[in-house]
Amino acid sequence: MASELIDIEADSGRFINRELSWLEFNSRVLAQAEDPSVPLLERVKFCAIWYSNLDEFFQVRVAGLKDQIAGQFTGTTPDGRTATQQMHEIRVAVDAQMDRAAACLDKQMAGLADAGIEILDWDDLDGEDRKYLSGEFDNRIYPVLTPLAVDLGHPFPYISNLSLSLGVLMVDPVDGHQRFARLKVPATFGRFLRLPGETRFVPVEQVVTAHLPTLFPGLEITETVAFRVTRNADLAVDEGEAQDLLAAVELELRRRRFRSVVRLEVEHLVSSEIRNLLIDELDIEREDVYESDTLLELSSLRDLHALDRPGLKNPVWKPVNPLPSGVPGDQAVNLFTRIREGDILVHHPYDSFTATVQEFIWQAANDPQVLAIKLTLYRTSGDSPIVQSLIRAAESGKQVAVVVELKARFDEEANIEWARRLEQAGVHVAYGLVGLKVHAKTCLVVREEADGVRRYCHIGTGNYNSITARVYTDLGLFTTDPEIGVDLTQLFNSLTGYGRDIEFRRLVPAPQSLRPKILELIENETTRGAEGRIIIKMNSLADSAMIEALYEASRAGVEIDLIVRAICCLRPGVPSMSDTIRVRSLIGRYLEHSRIYYFGNGEGVGVPAYYIGSADLMPRNLNRRIEALVEVIDPDLRRQLDQILEINLTDDVLAWDLMADGTWCRVANRVGFEAHSAFEQLAVQAAS
């Protein structure tokens, strides 16, 4: 199905707009919610993902464009658009997606009702159901509600980011004056109230609305509308001026709560009176208002996906332990022994994160021969067994150093809390380098052995997060390669201490070496012409210099396949510019997150080069982040990467192709080959 990207003439530029490309990615997510071949509750979940993705887009990307407009910035993007032009095209694309989402949700609700799961309006309830919910309101909801009047004595209240509110218009029968009040819908009780003994639900705001006379006794309610605001949530920390980065981030987090509103969502039946009042009080423009034909806060549909209805979901995948011990009871293998025998490549979520990465750090924390553990922490799970292992290691006297990225967007508060807990346990905590986010996924374990001190390394594409490891596809390399060990030691020393002009042997870090290295590898393929070959799997591609280098390679005849999950600003298939470039994206039950770089002639000697790591080809990854790629040289692991790339390029179920005009089209389903299922089968076969 073609997506709703605004038409752009193919010759209007060499680049696709970054923001519109991201919206196209979210359109592909929404397409999963529309796909009848996807199990019903999985479609509901995709609808929730689409909505939460859009929330983040407005909080960060739209907020940034609005800041440019407010600052009278007149520059243009590489594709030639001003901030104002982008805002207009974003509006058109979002409106189109919202229309699709409304139609999609109608079908999903009908399907859920057929399956015995009903989302009911208050007006649909019989007397018994209303009596039950009235009891819930009186006993649980009413005591926590706080109606806030708006008049000369009560200024318009602060509206917190992404909170659901009711705007209530009423008339005082005594003096005939009209009143307005805002009522925050508490998130304490979840988005839906469940009727007893059944899978029937009522949106909580409808229950509150039905009981407004209790909150405003003696007044006549004339209109009630649900609304929701989105605020600028981008973090702006002046690291050059900050003397204490942790304190500066905490201060900015407090300020972020009061940043400007960038979007107002309201129910489509809102009157002009309430709409205009909210526009004035929130200091926004009419173009910032989005009227919805569906429930607001669709991200809460995840609550329905949590229902115990396995027949309406994908089969539950149990990750395979790729390193079984062979001992009854599946006792964990000694990972240090196993890694010494040869490099290991793990592929999550097919290979168990718990039995590999998490177990590696647990064994290191509890092994008396381990002298030190060093790790980069970008995002981690709430209970984080890995952090608990690091704390245990420090408390037992090991040297533990953790580089915590305090500015990981929307994980800042969690990372501050982990940083404090780690410091209290005696862990050496560093926050990286001024002006750079630490995005590398690296761990170094130093162990004393009979033949001397040995360094065990893990370099991955994904975070040390046991929750996301269940749904993100990622790769990780375990190795005792001495050169990689030295490289990681130098990387950590530069992050916790000082260092310049460091020469790395096998590691390719950003911002020092990554850009020139990738450009060199592309140029090597370019010189080979039709004998050149490039395959890159990544999350996003937006760096202009990288795109130009790929265009040049294509003009030289190099065959190029790009597997890009989200943003792609390159135009493939344009005559005399990118004829030999193909771009595809896989969207399915697992989020594609691994990065693989393949160059058919490597360093120019005819031997292929394979790299994995944390970096995408985005300006932020290449210029403003600490990233790490590592070359994979073991022949068996290279064959494993070949297989992963081949499966991604063969898929005709989850795959979409990018057209030269910037639109994405589903790949024709010819043989029904689905990558995620294929990887599950391979994992089972490899472990058997």
Side-chain angles (χ1 to χ4, degrees):
M1 139 185 176
S3 47
E4 66 276 304
L5 184 68
I6 294 175
D7 277 341
I8 307 169
E9 293 298 324
D11 60 353
S12 68
R14 303 169 69 80
F15 305 101
I16 296 170
N17 179 264
R18 182 195 195 282
E19 316 305 346
L20 298 181
S21 181
W22 184 91
L23 285 169
E24 281 289 281
F25 157 66
N26 214 30
S27 174
R28 299 194 295 280
V29 173
L30 183 57
Q32 290 295 109
E34 298 168 318
D35 185 349
S37 69
V38 175
L40 180 57
L41 283 178
E42 302 296 340
R43 279 181 268 152
V44 171
K45 183 180 75 172
F46 274 111
C47 201
I49 293 170
W50 166 81
Y51 190 84
S52 59
N53 285 350
L54 203 57
D55 279 348
E56 183 171 335
F57 179 73
F58 272 90
Q59 290 176 90
V60 179
R61 302 305 304 180
V62 170
L65 290 172
K66 291 177 74 66
D67 284 346
Q68 289 182 27
I69 294 169
Q72 298 183 332
F73 177 74
T74 57
T76 60
T77 54
D79 56 283
R81 287 174 169 81
T82 65
T84 300
Q85 288 173 318
Q86 291 176 85
M87 286 294 295
H88 171 71
E89 294 183 61
I90 286 169
R91 175 75 206 215
V92 174
V94 171
D95 281 344
Q97 288 188 22
M98 288 180 64
D99 289 343
R100 284 172 54 197
C104 172
L105 195 60
D106 284 345
K107 293 179 181 178
Q108 289 179 0
M109 291 301 106
L112 288 170
D114 291 342
I117 302 170
E118 294 184 277
I119 308 297
L120 301 170
D121 291 331
W122 177 266
D123 293 340
D124 298 329
L125 303 179
D126 60 25
E128 195 64 28
D129 289 335
R130 291 188 180 190
K131 181 179 178 181
Y132 170 78
L133 290 176
S134 292
E136 287 289 285
F137 177 84
D138 293 339
N139 296 326
R140 300 176 62 219
I141 301 174
Y142 177 67
V144 304
L145 293 175
T146 304
L148 298 172
V150 178
D151 56 31
L152 291 177
H154 301 85
F156 192 84
Y158 162 76
I159 311 291
S160 55
N161 187 35
L162 304 183
S163 61
L164 185 63
S165 298
L166 293 176
V168 185
L169 271 182
M170 62 202 90
V171 173
D172 188 334
V174 174
D175 57 18
H177 289 168
Q178 186 167 263
R179 316 285 187 192
F180 178 81
R182 177 257 181 163
L183 188 63
K184 182 175 181 177
V185 178
T188 316
F189 310 105
R191 185 68 178 80
F192 303 102
L193 296 178
R194 187 170 184 167
L195 290 164
E198 301 184 53
T199 49
R200 296 188 303 140
F201 303 86
V202 179
V204 65
E205 72 272 19
Q206 293 199 17
V207 177
V208 174
T209 298
H211 294 85
L212 287 177
T214 305
L215 290 153
F216 303 103
L219 296 175
E220 179 187 348
I221 309 297
T222 58
E223 182 183 359
T224 306
V225 64
F227 69 93
R228 185 173 181 262
V229 302
T230 307
R231 293 184 179 272
N232 181 333
D234 206 12
L235 206 64
V237 178
D238 187 350
E239 297 180 52
E241 295 296 323
Q243 296 183 2
D244 183 332
L245 182 58
L246 188 147
V249 172
E250 285 188 306
L251 176 61
E252 184 59 26
L253 287 173
R254 290 194 291 271
R255 289 175 176 167
R256 186 166 72 178
R257 296 178 57 240
F258 300 96
R259 300 283 289 275
S260 60
V261 174
V262 297
R263 177 181 60 164
L264 168 66
E265 297 170 89
V266 294
E267 293 177 312
H268 74 286
L269 295 177
V270 62
S271 67
S272 59
E273 191 167 5
I274 288 185
R275 184 197 304 112
N276 293 337
L277 184 150
L278 292 174
I279 288 173
D280 291 341
E281 295 291 351
L282 295 172
D283 192 23
I284 58 175
E285 304 295 330
R286 178 65 182 85
E287 292 75 23
D288 300 322
V289 181
Y290 288 80
E291 297 183 15
S292 175
D293 292 330
T294 67
L295 289 169
L296 301 183
E297 201 179 11
L298 293 182
S299 54
S300 58
L301 292 173
R302 291 176 186 269
D303 296 347
L304 300 181
H305 183 266
L307 292 172
D308 185 18
R309 294 294 300 273
L312 301 179
K313 303 180 188 180
N314 289 320
V316 176
W317 165 250
K318 183 179 179 181
V320 171
N321 181 357
L323 306 170
S325 64
V327 177
D330 200 27
Q331 177 181 336
V333 68
N334 184 306
L335 288 173
F336 299 113
T337 301
R338 179 61 186 81
I339 296 168
R340 279 199 308 273
E341 294 171 355
D343 291 358
I344 301 168
L345 187 70
V346 289
H347 190 195
H348 312 301
Y350 316 106
D351 295 331
S352 169
F353 181 86
T354 301
T356 55
V357 178
Q358 190 171 301
E359 180 68 18
F360 173 64
I361 297 170
W362 184 91
Q363 289 187 17
N366 291 278
D367 188 332
Q369 292 178 253
V370 167
L371 305 175
I373 306 172
K374 302 184 180 186
L375 181 136
T376 54
L377 195 64
Y378 190 74
R379 301 186 195 275
T380 192
S381 53
D383 56 352
S384 191
I386 286 177
V387 174
Q388 299 295 346
S389 291
L390 295 171
I391 290 172
R392 187 181 306 111
E395 291 174 343
S396 68
K398 292 176 172 56
Q399 291 293 311
V400 182
V402 179
V403 182
V404 179
E405 180 47 69
L406 296 180
K407 305 181 297 298
R409 185 174 291 132
F410 302 121
D411 279 304
E412 301 96 344
E413 292 178 83
N415 284 4
I416 287 172
E417 176 62 25
W418 282 124
R420 288 207 168 105
R421 291 183 60 180
L422 288 163
E423 285 182 326
Q424 290 167 2
V427 173
H428 301 295
V429 177
Y431 306 127
L433 304 178
V434 173
L436 298 172
K437 278 189 178 181
V438 180
H439 190 249
K441 326 298 184 184
T442 56
C443 179
L444 173 67
V445 173
V446 182
R447 190 170 187 262
E448 188 166 30
E449 299 179 353
D451 56 350
V453 170
R454 192 185 305 271
R455 285 174 272 211
Y456 293 81
C457 309
H458 174 264
I459 300 169
T461 68
N463 296 305
Y464 292 106
N465 186 320
S466 58
I467 303 300
T468 57
R470 300 172 192 166
V471 291
Y472 285 24
T473 72
D474 274 306
L475 293 165
L477 174 70
F478 290 101
T479 184
T480 59
D481 184 292
E483 290 190 329
I484 295 178
V486 171
D487 283 352
L488 272 189
T489 300
Q490 293 190 119
L491 177 66
F492 277 106
N493 287 347
S494 70
L495 292 175
T496 59
Y498 297 107
R500 290 186 183 276
D501 302 323
I502 301 170
E503 291 189 10
F504 292 91
R505 298 159 179 81
R506 293 275 306 285
L507 211 61
V508 184
Q512 305 100 311
S513 310
L514 183 56
R515 178 185 292 278
K517 184 65 175 181
I518 297 298
L519 288 174
E520 176 191 347
L521 289 164
I522 294 173
E523 185 179 346
N524 287 340
E525 299 304 316
T526 303
T527 61
R528 293 298 181 110
E531 295 179 359
R533 185 74 171 107
I534 298 173
I535 308 174
I536 305 177
K537 181 180 185 296
M538 55 193 148
N539 290 337
S540 293
L541 169 61
D543 186 81
S544 300
M546 291 293 171
I547 292 172
E548 290 289 4
L550 290 168
Y551 285 158
E552 185 176 349
S554 178
R555 287 195 296 271
V558 178
E559 290 292 325
I560 302 171
D561 280 292
L562 305 175
I563 306 161
V564 186
R565 172 173 55 87
I567 298 164
C568 183
C569 297
L570 175 149
R571 291 187 185 277
V574 177
S576 302
M577 184 173 82
S578 57
D579 306 68
T580 63
I581 303 178
R582 297 166 292 276
V583 180
R584 62 167 30 207
S585 175
L586 271 62
I587 305 291
R589 63 187 181 278
Y590 301 127
L591 182 142
E592 292 296 331
H593 194 253
S594 59
R595 289 92 166 182
I596 306 172
Y597 294 79
Y598 169 83
F599 300 93
N601 295 280
E603 303 287 343
V605 294
V607 178
Y610 299 74
Y611 292 83
I612 67 166
S614 59
D616 295 310
L617 297 184
M618 303 276 282
R620 67 187 186 193
N621 300 100
L622 298 166
N623 303 335
R624 302 188 298 276
R625 288 185 173 184
I626 302 295
E627 305 278 7
L629 296 187
V630 64
E631 186 176 6
V632 177
I633 61 175
D634 181 279
D636 290 336
L637 303 191
R638 286 178 169 224
R639 282 190 287 273
Q640 193 174 340
L641 291 174
D642 281 334
Q643 187 177 53
I644 291 171
L645 292 173
E646 181 182 1
I647 287 173
N648 273 272
L649 292 173
T650 304
D651 181 285
D652 64 354
V653 175
L654 308 177
W656 296 69
D657 281 340
L658 176 59
M659 305 291 107
D661 65 355
T663 60
W664 289 81
C665 296
R666 279 191 185 274
V667 170
N669 186 330
R670 302 189 188 282
V671 297
F673 183 80
E674 201 255 80
H676 294 168
S677 296
F679 286 128
E680 289 177 348
Q681 293 166 14
L682 285 173
V684 172
Q685 292 169 11
S688 60

